[in-house]
Amino acid sequence: GESVGLHLPTLSVQEGDNSIINCAYSNSASDYFIWYKQESGKGPQFIIDIRSNMDKRQGQRVTVLLNKTVKHLSLQIAATQPGDSAVYFCAEKGGGNKLTFGTGTQLKVEL
Amino acid sequence: DAGVIQSPRHEVTEMGQEVTLRCKPISGHDYLFWYRQTMMRGLELLIYFNNNVPIDDSGMPEDRFSAKMPNASFSTLKIQPSEPRDSAVYFCASKHRDRSFGELFFGEGSRLTVL
């Protein structure tokens, strides 16, 4: 039969603006969360991680926020640049040593 | 520094053929992971090794899939016989034991098309 591909949610931002990419996770027992960036034709690239005993962590131009009450994770990118255009995935680590990846959000930076 | 190296980058084969994907992890990394990415299912862990020993292969779809790591610098993922539903991008990733669990370094992937 014909297969139907998933359409990724897309976030379009102007160069220089801040971007906020959201992720809902499913496992309330997850204790570790990660954001990855995947550019076209390449493998995922680690951006930043956060443990469940924290609600905020900052990196270079990126901030991850964790709200365990509503099982929500967000990635904020400051002063978005064309090189930030990519698909962004959140991932969670529940029991064991496995990561469960989200479906991803396509970030498009408009000049 | 060389990253994770995968080969081939692209493979087109016919149903029933054997496929072997290869991976060279980053030198000094103790963990090696094989992932599969499709539009329908996203990124899925197939198997991972620690110090060349398979730790968790519960993600391997079925007996047609097998993975080996004969030494610290080489791993293979084999599909025999291949089927059209195996078409996907297969990623290898490695991690150093001192890094956080999610600090994986991915290769550029092997895109497999089974006709």
Side-chain angles (χ1 to χ4, degrees):
Chain A
E2 181 181 16
S3 65
V4 178
L6 287 174
H7 293 283
L8 292 176
T10 299
L11 174 66
S12 294
V13 298
Q14 293 290 321
E15 181 181 5
D17 287 351
N18 296 335
S19 303
I20 301 176
I21 302 170
N22 297 304
C23 176
Y25 64 92
S26 55
N27 186 353
S28 56
S30 293
D31 60 1
Y32 176 67
F33 305 87
I34 313 101
W35 281 100
Y36 295 92
K37 171 187 180 184
Q38 186 174 22
E39 296 175 84
S40 180
K42 296 189 175 182
Q45 177 186 0
F46 172 88
I47 302 173
I48 192 168
D49 58 2
I50 187 168
R51 300 193 183 280
S52 60
N53 60 353
M54 303 172 68
D55 52 22
K56 180 179 180 179
R57 188 161 188 231
Q58 289 185 291
Q60 187 177 17
R61 276 201 314 119
V62 296
T63 301
V64 56
L65 299 178
L66 175 63
N67 185 330
K68 295 181 287 295
T69 302
V70 295
K71 293 189 286 187
H72 184 267
L73 193 66
S74 68
L75 178 71
Q76 300 179 1
I77 304 173
T80 312
Q81 303 168 359
D84 295 326
S85 293
V87 176
Y88 289 81
F89 294 95
C90 65
E92 60 183 296
K93 176 181 169 295
N97 285 320
K98 281 190 173 180
L99 292 176
T100 301
F101 285 80
T103 52
T105 296
Q106 174 82 55
L107 176 65
K108 293 186 176 180
V109 182
E110 299 171 349
L111 303 177
Chain B
D1 289 341
V4 174
I5 300 172
Q6 293 187 243
S7 64
R9 290 297 313 279
H10 301 275
E11 174 96 6
V12 180
T13 190
E14 293 188 344
M15 183 173 64
Q17 296 298 305
E18 178 180 295
V19 173
T20 299
L21 308 179
R22 298 172 177 80
C23 175
K24 176 177 168 56
I26 293 173
S27 178
H29 282 196
D30 316 276
Y31 290 84
L32 184 140
F33 303 79
W34 282 101
Y35 280 88
R36 178 171 68 176
Q37 186 176 41
T38 62
M39 282 299 295
M40 291 301 294
R41 300 174 67 90
L43 267 164
E44 302 173 284
L45 177 66
L46 300 177
I47 185 172
Y48 81 92
F49 297 82
N50 182 17
N51 292 324
N52 313 337
V53 176
I55 303 300
D56 185 344
D57 66 353
S58 59
M60 295 287 261
E62 48 199 271
D63 292 345
R64 297 185 297 106
F65 285 68
S66 62
K68 294 182 179 180
M69 192 165 186
N71 57 62
S73 59
F74 184 65
S75 178
T76 59
L77 178 67
K78 186 174 294 187
I79 308 172
Q80 166 64 16
S82 59
E83 297 183 1
R85 61 191 167 123
D86 301 330
S87 297
V89 181
Y90 291 82
F91 288 103
C92 177
S94 68
K95 187 187 87 69
H96 191 278
R97 63 184 176 276
D98 291 341
R99 307 304 296 180
S100 299
F101 187 80
E103 288 192 65
L104 308 179
F105 288 80
F106 284 82
E108 297 200 324
S110 294
R111 180 176 293 276
L112 173 64
T113 302
V114 184
L115 303 174

